[in-house]
Amino acid sequence: MSARTSSKERHHQFFIKSTQTSSRACVSLHLLLSVNVNATAYCTKYHSYYFYTIIIMHLMRLCYCLGTLLPAVSSFHMASPSATHRVSRQLKRTQLQSTSLPPSGGGESNSSPISLIVKSEESDRQNDLMLGEDSGMFNWSNEKWGALGESGWLTFFAAVATILTAVAVLWIYPPTGYGDDFVSFLENDVAHGNPHLVTLAFGIIFPIVHSGLASLRPLGEKIVGARTWRVIFAFPSLCLAYSWIVYFISHAHEGFQFYDISQIGWVHGLAWIINFTSFLFLYPSVYNLKEVAAVEKPKIHLWETGIIRITRHPQYVGQAMWSGAHLAMVGTSFTALTMALLVGHHYFACWNGDRRLEAEHGESFLKIKERTSVIPFQAIIEGRQQLPKDYYKELLRAPFVLIAVGSIGAYFAHPYMQAGAALAKNTGLVPGGILDGIFLEFN
């Protein structure tokens, strides 16, 4: 009788908690939509910053509410009575540990969001396999500027400045770079002036170079080392990505116009929210920026926490969201083709990424693969993945803040991107580049 009463109490407590959290989430969602319905009225020159600050605040509130509701739902999802008894035993064991041991990570926390960003806290990982890494962990006190050549932030910024300077000189700047020559070759010799064929060519060349070099990584690292291979991989990827982005901005409105709903306020607001959220999926690489710049030895990481619980391939999901949001705003055949190529490349990367992770981590990856899904939330709904009750700790981390700030900055930089793309288009072809002398000597 007491067990039945305890079960009813747990059901009652779950219902109250989920109802309260759902109410808060619905309020935040209602405020978001109500603000976006009047987006046109608010988005003036002097109110746009205030408007998007309001959106970010409500997005954070909505994410927090969902972060507390989803763990409750996933933990409540029981496949059988034996699972119920198993969870009951885990709860009892957790209660005993909490009364007999000092806190050592996981569980409830009284830390403020700022303190969690400055110093990440582990979530309750008692249901994890503990085979993969805890993604996005950050501790401000461990970060050092360091001397040039050491694995500190001074070396990081020097490395980033060096590679970006090389890209600018060898590719972007027409008098010295070869980016304009490459685009001119695609436009005139390959596509004969058809922008659809140019973006199609980019959509074929970029995946071959980017995914091809990624697949050759094990062999390349054996020959030149991990850090040198990262530079070999990054340079052509950055060059091609720059040219494709600039070309897309310059020709996004060309081709057949299917529709034009960009001037509808709520459409713009909804597209902005989807686009902003997509960046939280798109860039798991910022979990360790020093590896991106080859300051620290690059690794093929096997993540087990964070956004990976929702989808095993966040970049694919994020790219689909980003492409959908942009296609909703610019309904042309050129944009549709470009978005399809981008999503198609990332869909291929799901298979290629799984293959590379299995080759690197073997059985550990296969076990994590069983507990995750490509489709967002599928593993959670099916009961294969259980979010910890303090899941928000895995999201309130410095890398996600960096992504959020960068996404907002990219939005406000749109006019400058459009101006830069127009400048590149109007400048046209400046034949040759800084390495012409070397090529002539070989000839």
Side-chain angles (χ1 to χ4, degrees), residues 258-276:
F258 295 110
Y259 53 84
D260 184 8
I261 55 176
S262 59
Q263 301 304 316
I264 301 176
W266 69 267
V267 173
H268 180 273
L270 182 60
W272 191 93
I273 293 173
I274 295 174
N275 185 63
F276 175 83

Side-chain angles (χ1 to χ4, degrees), residues 12-170:
H12 180 65
Q13 291 174 358
F14 168 79
F15 176 77
I16 293 176
K17 182 177 180 180
S18 61
T19 302
Q20 292 174 343
T21 309
S22 300
S23 299
R24 291 196 296 269
C26 289
V27 168
S28 294
L29 184 60
H30 170 73
L31 289 173
L32 276 172
L33 293 177
S34 63
V35 169
N36 287 318
V37 166
N38 299 309
T40 306
Y42 282 98
C43 282
T44 63
K45 177 180 179 180
Y46 302 103
H47 294 85
S48 59
Y49 291 92
Y50 172 76
F51 168 71
Y52 288 107
T53 302
I54 295 295
I55 286 183
I56 294 301
M57 291 173 62
H58 286 303
L59 271 174
M60 293 178 65
R61 178 183 174 89
L62 181 62
C63 291
Y64 174 79
C65 293
L66 292 177
T68 55
L69 176 62
L70 287 175
V73 174
S74 62
S75 63
F76 186 73
H77 180 82
M78 303 300 177
S80 64
S82 60
T84 305
H85 295 306
R86 184 167 63 253
V87 173
S88 178
R89 288 196 302 270
Q90 291 175 350
L91 289 173
K92 290 179 180 179
R93 183 165 63 249
T94 303
Q95 291 173 353
L96 289 174
Q97 291 175 349
S98 63
T99 56
S100 59
L101 298 174
S104 58
E108 298 297 330
S109 172
N110 294 324
S111 302
S112 66
I114 298 299
S115 63
L116 289 175
I117 293 170
V118 173
K119 182 180 180 181
S120 303
E121 289 187 10
E122 290 186 1
S123 63
D124 184 0
R125 298 190 61 190
Q126 64 175 345
N127 295 314
D128 288 351
L129 298 174
M130 306 302 290
L131 297 174
E133 299 177 59
D134 194 358
S135 62
M137 291 293 286
F138 180 82
N139 189 341
W140 178 265
S141 61
N142 294 337
E143 303 301 322
K144 306 296 181 184
W145 278 104
L148 194 62
E150 298 178 351
S151 59
W153 288 107
L154 183 62
T155 304
F156 168 80
F157 286 112
V160 171
T162 300
I163 188 69
L164 292 182
T165 300
V167 171
V169 173
L170 295 174

